[in-house]
Amino acid sequence: VLTFVVTRGTDCEPQVDRVERIRADFPNVKFVTVVSGDSQSETRNLAIARRWHEPVAVDTDGAVVNLYGVGVCPITIFARDGRVRDTNVGNLTEAQLRERTRKLLG
């Protein structure tokens, strides 16, 4: 489950907070967040401050979000076996995250 967020001029971080709260319910699922627009140190400080323990990748120059056409955040991608199974633009509740992750597991 891959979550893309942009931190400048947005309020997408709460989506990652929700992902973080449901992660323990799915020990066999890998969760990763991609933060775009911040430096590595800014992203590290953000992850520490918000208590994110999932892997967080840093897209310092926006190349990754441009490559994937991320124009709004958050975007959550549910992939299995290397294939995208579902994509959501915008916020999901914890219940919706759980439901879509369960569906991903099939």
Side-chain angles (χ1 to χ4, degrees):
V1 176
L2 180 62
T3 304
F4 285 94
V5 295
V6 178
T7 58
R8 308 276 174 171
T10 65
D11 188 30
C12 297
E13 295 91 339
Q15 182 64 39
V16 182
D17 297 341
R18 287 186 287 277
V19 170
E20 192 65 40
R21 287 192 293 270
I22 69 136
R23 274 182 348 111
D25 296 343
F26 302 96
N28 295 326
V29 175
K30 293 180 178 140
F31 293 86
V32 177
T33 292
V34 177
V35 174
S36 183
D38 284 349
S39 69
Q40 288 182 348
S41 63
E42 288 170 318
T43 301
R44 183 181 326 102
N45 291 338
L46 176 66
I48 291 167
R50 296 191 81 101
R51 297 184 176 155
W52 295 344
H53 298 287
E54 66 190 84
V56 178
V58 183
D59 178 22
T60 56
D61 62 2
V64 175
V65 295
N66 287 333
L67 178 66
Y68 286 94
V70 176
V72 67
C73 78
I75 292 184
T76 307
I77 298 171
F78 299 86
R80 182 174 175 183
D81 300 326
R83 297 180 61 186
V84 173
R85 306 302 171 133
D86 191 14
T87 301
N88 185 82
V89 177
N91 288 296
L92 292 167
T93 66
E94 288 181 40
Q96 290 169 322
L97 283 164
R98 282 187 183 91
E99 176 185 334
R100 291 192 182 193
T101 303
R102 279 189 203 100
K103 182 179 175 186
L104 178 67
L105 294 171

